[in-house]
Structure formats: C-alpha cells, structure tokens
Amino acid sequence: MRVLIVTAVPAERDAVVRGIGATAPEMAELPVPGGTIHRLSPVPPTGPPLTVDVLAAGVGPAAAA
C-alpha cells in the first residue's frame, strides 16, 4: 500500500517524518520540481508492505508575502 501525506510547510513535513521514522528503518529523499519527497517504508505490524511519501507543498514564503 502507498500513502501520500502533503503538508503546507517543511516544519510540518519534518514532524510527520519524525513520527513515522520510529518504525521506518531508512528514508529516501527524492527531488521533484518544487520540492523533495521524503519516502519512508515503515514496517507495519500486520498486513501488506507500506510506503509513505511525505511532501511539503505549500505556497512558499515568497508567494505568501
């Protein structure tokens, strides 16, 4: 199963990654236009393998100003 979590700002993304990271042995950073996807593969206690992608996709400080 694959899950995508989109946050507004990098600080939120980092908090999500820290929370999931407790059960994920490793993380990959994948550059995409306008940001970086943090891909984690936590080990679920039961069920199919899990991949979680976390992306900060807010408007950014320049557009917010």
Side-chain angles (χ1 to χ4, degrees):
M1 178 190 319
R2 177 168 281 170
V3 177
L4 172 64
I5 300 172
V6 181
T7 65
V9 295
E12 292 173 341
R13 179 204 57 215
D14 294 343
V16 170
V17 167
R18 276 193 310 273
I20 296 171
T23 60
E26 57 185 67
M27 177 184 72
E29 294 185 359
L30 308 168
V32 295
T36 302
I37 291 178
H38 290 74
R39 179 165 288 165
L40 301 113
S41 297
V43 179
T46 61
L50 180 63
T51 299
V52 180
D53 292 337
V54 185
L55 174 66
V59 298

